[in-house]
Amino acid sequence: MTLYYSLVFLLLVAEMTLFMLLIVPLPFTIRRRMFTFISESPIIAKLQYGMKITFIFILILFIDSVNRVYRVQVELAESNKNQGGAAVLGHERMEVQARKFYSQRNMYLCGFTLFLSLILNRTYTMILDVLRLEELVKKYEGDPKASGKQSDKLANAGNVGEIGRLKKELAAKDRDIETLKKQSEGLSREYGDLSDKYGATQADGTPKKDR
């Protein structure tokens, strides 16, 4: 197994471990703290960004492995056809079978890694929704612990790390821009009104004194 396929295998093992950690039954408070930490940690955000790039390379490896399996199948079919339908024998057959095995192994390895990444993402989202619903039920039941900082953090736990913080800052800047636009429009209207009044007084030739 080459180096990059060994790294893909290690990533698959890490995904399996993470999936087991997600489905392990834990108390509500511990699980809530764990998910709020994931959502606020900048390290997790950078790791998630790096994993997205990694999965793009794994997708390329998966496509290449599928192509190799197809080419081996075509080569095996052509060899059987050239020999009048007889099976390929000897070392040639062993070589083709070995290439087919390695290509299929790489295809399954990359495919399961990509598939498990989708399952992890969906499982994380579902658990997060369940935690929010549990928090909402606790609020309806009058639990005082359900209205603290942890509850607010859990409500905003959809955005991970720096990405969530930057989105909040961008939304705040958008609100500031809208406020400045409204203020500028108000100043423009006032300036227009003052210009009209000043023009009217100059046209009459009797400028009014300020009282």
Side-chain angles (χ1 to χ4, degrees), residues 36 40 145-155:
T36 52
E40 294 178 350
K145 296 181 180 179
S147 59
K149 293 182 178 179
Q150 292 295 328
S151 178
D152 296 335
K153 290 180 180 180
L154 183 63

Side-chain angles (χ1 to χ4, degrees), residues 1-16 58 61 105 109-110 113:
M1 186 181 293
T2 56
L3 178 60
Y4 42 86
Y5 283 114
S6 300
L7 295 176
V8 173
F9 175 73
L10 293 176
L11 181 60
L12 178 62
V13 174
E15 287 180 342
M16 294 170 63
I58 294 176
L61 290 176
R105 180 203 62 187
L109 180 62
C110 296
T113 303

Side-chain angles (χ1 to χ4, degrees), residues 185-205:
E185 290 175 357
L187 291 174
S188 298
R189 286 194 299 268
E190 292 179 1
Y191 179 78
D193 294 338
L194 290 174
S195 297
D196 294 338
K197 291 180 181 179
Y198 181 78
T201 57
Q202 292 295 322
D204 295 338

Side-chain angles (χ1 to χ4, degrees), residues 5-145:
Y5 283 114
S6 300
L7 295 176
V8 173
F9 175 73
L10 293 176
L11 181 60
L12 178 62
V13 174
E15 287 180 342
M16 294 170 63
T17 305
L18 182 59
F19 182 75
M20 292 300 297
L21 291 176
L22 287 177
I23 64 175
V24 167
L26 295 173
F28 175 77
T29 55
I30 297 177
R31 190 179 292 272
R32 182 177 61 182
R33 290 179 180 177
M34 181 176 68
F35 275 78
T36 52
F37 172 76
I38 292 173
S39 65
E40 294 178 350
S41 175
I43 299 176
I44 299 296
K46 294 178 181 178
L47 182 62
Q48 187 187 39
Y49 181 76
M51 292 303 297
K52 289 180 180 179
I53 299 175
T54 304
F55 284 124
I56 293 175
F57 285 107
I58 294 176
L59 179 61
I60 295 173
L61 290 176
F62 175 72
I63 296 173
D64 179 68
S65 61
V66 172
N67 186 30
R68 288 177 183 273
V69 171
Y70 175 75
R71 284 189 295 176
V72 170
Q73 293 286 356
V74 171
E75 182 180 350
L76 185 59
E78 290 180 352
S79 299
N80 292 333
K81 184 178 179 180
N82 292 333
Q83 293 188 7
V88 182
L89 300 176
H91 68 281
E92 184 178 356
R93 177 180 176 84
M94 293 180 61
E95 181 183 356
V96 173
Q97 291 294 335
R99 289 168 54 194
K100 180 180 178 181
F101 168 76
Y102 289 128
S103 300
Q104 289 179 343
R105 180 203 62 187
N106 297 334
M107 180 182 67
Y108 293 143
L109 180 62
C110 296
F112 281 123
T113 303
L114 293 172
F115 182 68
L116 189 55
S117 68
L118 298 177
I119 293 178
L120 282 174
N121 187 23
R122 183 57 183 167
T123 303
Y124 173 80
T125 305
M126 292 177 64
I127 295 176
L128 192 58
D129 291 338
V130 170
L131 289 175
R132 287 171 178 169
L133 289 175
E134 290 183 4
E135 191 76 17
L136 188 61
V137 170
K138 289 180 179 294
K139 286 183 180 180
Y140 286 151
E141 291 178 351
D143 190 353
K145 296 181 180 179

